[in-house]
Amino acid sequence: MRAFEAAARNGSFTVAATELFLTQGAISRQIRILEEFIGKKLFERFTRRVELTAVGKEYYLDIQRALLDIERATAKAMGSTSRAILTVSVMPTLGASWLMPKLARFVEQYPDIDIRFLTSIEPVNFQAGDLDAAVRVGCLPGADYGQRRPRIELEMVTSWKGVHAEYLLPDILVPVMSRKLLMQGAPISTAADLLHYPLIHTASRKYAWGDWLAAHGVTLREGGRQLDFGHFFMGLKAAADSKGIAIAPSVVVQESVLAQGDLVCPLPADVRSAGNYYLLTRNAMGPTSPLARFRDWLMHEARAAESYVQADDELPSLA
């Protein structure tokens, strides 16, 4: 069940294996045994990704709640009930590349609060489970994000009833490629020049390349060379291996990828998507509650990050 929960939460057997310090084959075997025991498929397997079946999605929610209950019961038995526990859902790549590296600062500032992160790109269901907050990317209901902006087809929540959304960061997609490929390939001075290279697509943002190119007056050619991956971090790994040019959020690229020196952005980040990153909560919070303290810390980190992820555009206005 631990293998299943990690694979479902990350949308990847490989990432689950890394998280649990196992091999990808071990994760696959554990899930196959679980499927045989239940008598139903939990995952649909594709070439480079996996997706939960309808049964798998329902089972995943139940397993997450059960494991969280076990964790809280264990903390209670150990006498650590004085520590507040916040459960926060965050998208895998943003969590690993932007949020997790900053967590040590939060722990140092608030040693009495434990944060439990769940990673997922699925719509947040605050009516089921014990989530305190979530970070998602998408569009607010009724918001006007302007014309000709890259679409974000992800749904942030299953229902907006009682949900409070607070702007966190802009979503600005940028092309990313290895320094080696840029040095050896055709020169790049405009968006049209990117079409000389294989383009790396991400399943969760299938319109990203076409919409980003269209914003620069370029049409994505059908049948062009391309690679497809399930998550941004997979596409960035392929870009680092000189397989082509990926497209990813600037906050992820600037924070962790470019700092390592393996990848470069051949063109500037100048187009804001039709949506933003938001902190989502379901309940009103007191000014000194653990959730309010986490919110204040997260907003401080987001404002510090805006200096290097911001495009020269205005924020969207609510219609």
Side-chain angles (χ1 to χ4, degrees):
M1 289 183 181
R2 288 182 64 212
F4 166 75
E5 190 276 339
R9 173 162 42 83
N10 291 292
S12 167
F13 288 3
T14 302
V15 178
T18 301
E19 180 179 301
L20 298 178
F21 301 99
L22 297 171
T23 65
Q24 190 271 346
I27 295 292
S28 181
R29 285 192 297 274
Q30 289 291 323
I31 293 173
R32 187 169 63 251
I33 291 170
L34 186 60
E35 289 178 322
E36 291 173 356
F37 177 76
I38 294 174
K40 295 180 180 178
K41 287 181 64 175
L42 300 173
F43 286 97
E44 295 290 351
R45 278 82 163 171
F46 300 95
T47 304
R48 295 187 180 90
R49 60 188 174 90
V50 294
E51 289 183 1
L52 287 168
T53 62
V55 172
K57 288 180 180 179
E58 184 176 356
Y59 190 57
Y60 168 56
L61 291 175
D62 291 338
I63 290 299
Q64 266 199 327
R65 287 193 292 269
L67 291 176
L68 183 58
D69 287 342
I70 292 171
E71 181 178 330
R72 287 174 171 168
T74 303
K76 181 178 179 180
M78 294 173 65
S80 58
T81 53
S82 61
R83 297 177 60 83
I85 299 177
L86 295 179
T87 304
V88 181
S89 175
V90 64
M91 292 165 293
T93 304
L94 184 73
S97 299
W98 184 75
L99 189 53
M100 299 300 184
K102 298 171 170 52
L103 196 58
R105 293 200 286 268
F106 179 83
V107 173
E108 182 178 357
Q109 188 173 352
Y110 300 109
D112 60 326
I113 302 176
D114 286 334
I115 303 291
R116 181 175 189 262
F117 284 111
L118 306 176
T119 56
S120 175
I121 63 171
E122 294 297 319
V124 180
N125 185 355
F126 281 114
Q127 286 70 45
D130 297 305
L131 277 181
D132 295 295
V135 176
R136 287 293 188 273
V137 66
C139 308
L140 292 178
D144 179 13
Y145 293 88
Q147 302 296 318
R148 294 175 58 83
R149 295 178 185 265
R151 287 165 284 182
I152 301 175
E153 59 270 29
L154 295 171
E155 293 291 333
M156 290 197 283
V157 296
T158 57
S159 171
W160 282 102
K161 184 178 181 180
V163 175
H164 176 70
E166 191 166 3
Y167 168 78
L168 189 64
L169 286 165
D171 181 68
I172 303 166
L173 297 175
V174 293
V176 186
M177 65 191 304
S178 73
R179 193 179 301 273
K180 177 182 177 182
L181 185 61
L182 180 62
M183 297 282 290
Q184 296 178 347
I188 297 176
S189 58
T190 69
D193 295 329
L194 301 178
L195 299 180
H196 296 300
Y197 295 83
L199 300 182
I200 299 172
H201 295 254
T202 301
S204 60
R205 302 285 286 274
K206 60 185 178 181
Y207 300 114
W209 264 123
D211 288 353
W212 187 89
L213 289 168
H216 290 84
V218 179
T219 300
L220 179 63
R221 296 194 299 262
E222 293 187 10
R225 295 177 295 167
Q226 67 179 52
L227 298 171
D228 296 279
F229 293 92
H231 291 284
F232 281 123
F233 64 84
M234 298 176 184
L236 291 171
K237 177 61 169 62
D241 292 337
S242 299
K243 301 297 185 184
I245 304 179
I247 191 164
S250 60
V251 62
V252 171
V253 172
Q254 294 285 356
E255 183 74 14
S256 64
V257 178
L258 295 187
Q260 299 173 8
D262 298 328
L263 295 169
V264 295
C265 294
L267 295 172
D270 58 358
V271 178
R272 182 190 288 270
S273 299
N276 297 304
Y277 290 94
Y278 293 95
L279 174 65
L280 308 175
T281 55
R282 60 175 172 176
N283 296 318
M285 61 186 86
T288 61
S289 68
L291 183 56
R293 285 183 282 170
F294 173 72
R295 175 261 176 210
D296 292 344
W297 171 81
L298 187 62
M299 290 300 164
H300 174 77
E301 296 291 343
R303 298 294 75 77
E306 263 193 323
S307 62
Y308 57 77
V309 302
Q310 186 67 271
D312 296 329
D313 282 328
E314 295 295 326
L315 288 173
S317 57
L318 289 174

